[in-house]
């Protein structure tokens, strides 16, 4: 009997689509399929070996059928852009229990070009449609952002702290042709940018792109027999949690309970402490999220997140690199960034990142779903304990 | 009257929308544990009791947080909007718009006293809030 944690489950294959950014010539399904085929090739395993399929945003068998796969395990858990952290956790449980042997987790989204994508629509009878959308709290930039002044004021922080996050992350994306925003930017330039929703300026808000990514999971034992064995990444621990579909119903505007509980479970199941973590990926649709996450996942104390960024800890050469692809703010954000945060963690652990951090053995990945709705946490390592 | 998405009541929310149309916004209270409840539902989220009662609110609230949206979606037909989270005196929080104030940060202090107002939207009436008049006025 194997465990879903402590290194018994492996990410054996991982890949993004060949292109990211503006891809008007590929449908959503094509993006899923291309990422899947590339991840299978990365693992060195045939599609015929896949018996589990998971994705968010469409029935999971839309993707398996497209690739000629007949799965015996399905998961379409759709809890927002952080669904992929949750799906990896579910896949690990399925493999550990014997419900599946080889699971393909896919993502594809035509977030920018909207090719083959479902139209955006507000359902007036949904909770959001009744109690948030009528006020303009519809687009993420005018909804996800609403609690930030309570967070900042409660800590004696200011909008400048948001700009520091955006500028610090940009340093990781500079020169990376796959990053949509890859030119240097200063804190003052971020603050002087076009205001989207006070206090957020443009560069405090994520990019909007097309793209996809996929992961292939299996037991560590099985992964050891693949040609990709030397690049295997192991799941040490994980967690998931949720609060409310309505932003206004957060238990606390200054701290997200789902970050606290999902990350605590991930640390507990991994059997590691914060001091063991070498590298962090925080899902950053907007610049306030890394600040909430730093505090809620316990890497810093309450009110210390702004200083953590201002002191340069997250930047290239810093003591705890964060969002080393530039994050959703600079690298890419299809609408569901979670897959790309996991991809960058895998690249760092394999030593294959565009801006590689030396000596990364454990990476912490914190996802968020919807707008302070759900959370998923993964702790990954390149060493099997 | 403003332009934008119109809420479509469901069976459990209909009393709320009927109360705003009567300009007497009401929320549910649990008769078992005393909790004030928002958004409307069939069971108390604190104790799962179905013994709930609708009561009008006082209309007093404070500003918990906000953004000034400079890019309202076209459906709203406005230049900007103050999208706010407000704490009602009864102990629940809701999303709303702040009206009757300049959309500038200096006019919007967290914790400031607000009072309930109403805004017609299609065939419904939305609860909105405006800065409270001082007690003496």
């Amino acid at each position: 009997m194997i465990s879903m944690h402590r290194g018994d489950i492996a990410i054996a294959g991982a890949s993004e689509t060949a292109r990211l950014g503006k891809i008007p010539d590929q449908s959503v399904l094509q993006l899923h399929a291309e990422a899947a085929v590339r991840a299978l090739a990365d693992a060195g395993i045939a599609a015929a070996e896949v018996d589990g399929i998971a994705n968010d945003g469409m029935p999971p068998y839309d993707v398996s059928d497209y690739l000629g796969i007949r799965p015996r395990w399905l998961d379409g858990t759709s809890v927002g852009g952080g669904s992929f952290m949750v799906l990896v956790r579910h896949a690990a449980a399925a493999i550990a229990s014997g419900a599946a042997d080889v699971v393909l987790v896919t993502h594809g989204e035509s977030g920018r070009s909207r090719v083959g994508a479902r139209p955006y629509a507000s359902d007036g009878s949904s909770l959001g449609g009744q109690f948030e959308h009528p006020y303009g709290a519809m687009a993420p930039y005018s909804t996800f952002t609403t609690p930030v002044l309570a967070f900042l004021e409660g800590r004696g922080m200011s909008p400048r702290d948001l700009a520091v996050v955006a500028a610090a992350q940009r340093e990781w994306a500079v020169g990376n042709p796959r990053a949509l925003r890859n030119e240097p930017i200063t804190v003052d330039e971020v603050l002087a940018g076009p205001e989207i929703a006070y206090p957020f300026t443009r560069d405090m808000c994520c990019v909007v792109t097309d793209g996809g990514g996929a992961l292939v999971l299996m037991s560590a034992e099985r992964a050891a027999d693949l040609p990709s064995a030397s690049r295997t990444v192991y799941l040490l621990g994980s967690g998931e949690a949720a609060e409310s579909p309505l932003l206004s119903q957060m238990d606390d505007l200054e701290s997200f309970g789902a970050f606290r509980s999902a990350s605590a479970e991930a640390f507990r199941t991994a059997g590691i402490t914060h001091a063991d973590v070498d590298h962090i990926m925080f899902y950053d649709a907007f610049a306030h999220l890394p600040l909430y996450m730093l505090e809620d996942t316990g890497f810093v104390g309450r009110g210390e997140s702004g200083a953590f960024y201002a002191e340069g800890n997250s930047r290239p050469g810093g003591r705890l690199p964060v969002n080393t692809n530039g994050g959703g703010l600079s690298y890419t954000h299809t609408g569901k960034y979670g897959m790309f945060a996991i991809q960058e963690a895998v690249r760092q652990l394999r030593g294959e990142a565009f801006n590689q951090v030396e000596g990364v053995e454990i990476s912490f990945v914190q996802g968020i779903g919807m707008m302070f709705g759900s959370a998923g946490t993964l702790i990954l390592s390149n060493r099997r304990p | 009257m403003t332009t934008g998405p119109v809420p479509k009541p469901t069976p459990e929310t209909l009393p709320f929308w009927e109360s705003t149309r009567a300009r007497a916004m009401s929320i549910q209270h649990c008769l078992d544990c005393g909790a004030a409840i928002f958004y409307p539902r069939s069971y108390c989220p604190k104790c799962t009791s179905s013994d709930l009662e609708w009561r009008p609110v006082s209309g007093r609230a404070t500003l918990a947080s906000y953004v000034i949206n400079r890019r309202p979606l076209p459906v709203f037909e406005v230049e900007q909007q103050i999208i706010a989270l407000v704490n009602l005196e009864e102990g629940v929080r809701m999303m709303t718009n702040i009206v009757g104030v300049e959309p500038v940060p200096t006019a919007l202090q967290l914790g400031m006293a607000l009072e309930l107002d109403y805004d017609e939207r299609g065939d419904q009436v939305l609860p909105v809030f405006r800065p409270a008049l001082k007690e003496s006025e």
Side-chain angles (χ1 to χ4, degrees):
Chain A
M1 180 70 184
I2 61 171
S3 162
M4 66 182 279
H5 292 128
R6 308 274 175 130
D8 285 357
I9 304 300
I11 295 175
S15 183
E16 295 172 355
T17 45
R19 290 177 292 158
L20 292 177
K22 200 172 179 190
I23 316 176
D25 56 325
Q26 279 184 295
S27 70
V28 170
L29 262 173
Q30 281 181 296
L31 294 166
H32 274 270
E34 186 201 311
V37 168
R38 287 166 62 91
L40 290 167
D42 181 63
I45 194 168
E49 300 292 314
V50 174
D51 65 351
I53 189 85
N55 66 52
D56 163 23
M58 63 175 70
Y61 56 85
D62 285 13
V63 176
S64 51
D65 183 63
Y66 195 96
L67 295 169
I69 294 166
R70 293 287 177 256
R72 70 181 179 106
W73 179 85
L74 304 159
D75 191 349
T77 302
S78 182
V79 291
S83 295
F84 307 100
M85 290 73 175
V86 174
L87 292 171
V88 165
R89 173 176 156 82
H90 293 184
I95 295 164
S97 70
D101 292 315
V102 178
V103 175
L104 191 52
V105 181
T106 68
H107 167 62
E109 193 163 11
S110 188
R112 190 179 182 100
S113 304
R114 311 296 302 163
V115 184
R118 293 179 196 165
Y120 292 121
S122 168
D123 171 6
S125 64
S126 68
L127 288 174
Q130 292 189 64
F131 299 110
E132 302 207 330
H133 303 172
Y135 301 106
M138 276 175 87
Y141 59 79
S142 65
T143 311
F144 213 163
T145 49
T146 50
V148 76
L149 289 177
F151 178 95
L152 294 175
E153 189 155 307
R155 288 155 175 76
M157 289 162 61
S158 76
R160 190 170 188 87
D161 290 287
L162 303 174
V164 170
V165 171
Q169 288 192 190
R170 180 65 58 81
E171 292 184 38
W172 291 105
V174 169
N176 185 346
R178 289 179 69 76
L180 197 78
R181 291 177 181 154
N182 57 12
E183 300 290 330
I185 194 165
T186 66
V187 172
D188 287 333
E189 286 168 345
V190 174
L191 281 169
E195 199 166 271
I196 306 297
Y198 172 85
F200 287 81
T201 60
R202 188 194 62 189
D203 290 89
M204 301 173 189
C205 305
C206 67
V207 298
V208 180
T209 60
D210 306 323
L215 301 164
V216 182
L217 284 92
M218 63 188 70
S219 71
E221 203 169 321
R222 182 160 181 169
D225 295 332
L226 293 177
S228 58
S230 65
R231 297 160 66 243
T232 301
V233 167
Y234 304 94
L235 180 65
L236 298 188
S238 68
E240 67 190 73
E243 282 195 4
S244 176
L246 293 186
L247 191 135
S248 62
Q249 302 309 303
M250 286 179 79
D251 289 337
D252 178 353
L253 295 179
E254 298 185 38
S255 171
F256 185 37
F259 289 158
R260 299 197 305 272
S261 49
S263 63
E265 182 160 355
F267 276 113
R268 180 178 62 75
T269 52
I272 67 158
T273 68
H274 293 79
D276 297 317
V277 173
D278 306 305
H279 169 253
I280 290 175
M281 292 303 295
F282 284 149
Y283 187 132
D284 58 327
F286 296 92
H288 59 323
L289 295 173
L291 301 174
Y292 276 86
M293 288 175 178
L294 269 170
E295 297 188 13
D296 287 334
T297 62
F299 282 95
V300 302
R302 183 189 160 89
E304 295 173 356
S305 54
F308 178 92
Y309 266 92
E311 289 162 6
N313 294 303
S314 75
R315 292 158 52 192
R319 70 171 171 88
L320 189 50
V322 179
N323 291 354
T324 50
N325 58 356
L329 299 182
S330 290
Y331 181 67
T332 207
H333 196 309
T334 54
K336 295 193 174 91
Y337 171 73
M339 173 58 78
F340 302 97
I342 301 170
Q343 294 285 339
E344 172 66 9
V346 169
R347 287 193 295 266
Q348 288 288 346
L349 290 164
R350 288 171 162 182
E352 299 171 354
F354 180 83
N355 266 316
Q356 183 64 42
V357 177
E358 287 306 308
V360 178
E361 289 186 9
I362 294 181
S363 180
F364 176 92
V365 187
Q366 181 62 54
I368 183 164
M370 303 311 290
M371 296 182 267
F372 289 112
S374 70
T377 313
L378 301 177
I379 298 178
L380 303 171
S381 179
N382 53 17
R383 284 216 257 177
R384 194 177 174 191
Chain B
M1 175 72 104
T2 54
T3 304
V6 181
K8 290 188 187 136
T10 49
E12 69 270 56
T13 67
L14 186 59
F16 176 84
W17 293 113
E18 286 176 338
S19 77
T20 60
R21 213 180 301 185
R23 288 172 163 71
M25 184 174 93
S26 298
I27 63 168
Q28 292 163 300
H29 293 258
C30 177
L31 294 178
D32 279 319
C33 76
I37 300 166
F38 185 81
Y39 51 92
R41 56 194 105 176
S42 302
Y43 303 97
C44 171
K46 297 281 194 300
C47 73
T48 328
S49 170
S50 58
D51 205 1
L52 311 180
E53 181 178 73
W54 289 93
R55 294 180 202 155
V57 299
S58 73
R60 288 186 288 271
T62 55
L63 181 60
S65 198
Y66 69 92
V67 294
I68 305 171
N69 185 17
R70 310 294 192 194
R71 304 272 179 97
L73 296 173
V75 66
F76 290 97
E77 299 178 14
V78 292
E79 296 285 310
Q80 48 200 347
Q81 52 200 170
I82 303 167
I83 303 173
L85 296 161
V86 302
N87 293 327
L88 272 58
E89 186 176 58
E90 287 75 14
V92 300
R93 192 193 302 122
M94 61 189 294
M95 187 77 80
T96 190
N97 290 135
I98 307 298
V99 300
V101 62
E102 283 294 303
V104 293
T106 47
L108 295 157
Q109 310 299 327
L110 299 194
M112 70 190 282
L114 303 168
E115 62 187 21
L116 178 60
D117 200 349
Y118 297 97
D119 179 17
E120 288 179 30
R121 175 71 61 82
D123 59 351
Q124 299 296 333
V125 175
L126 300 181
V128 297
F129 287 79
R130 61 176 65 245
L133 295 172
K134 292 199 175 67
E135 299 275 332
S136 56
E137 286 174 309

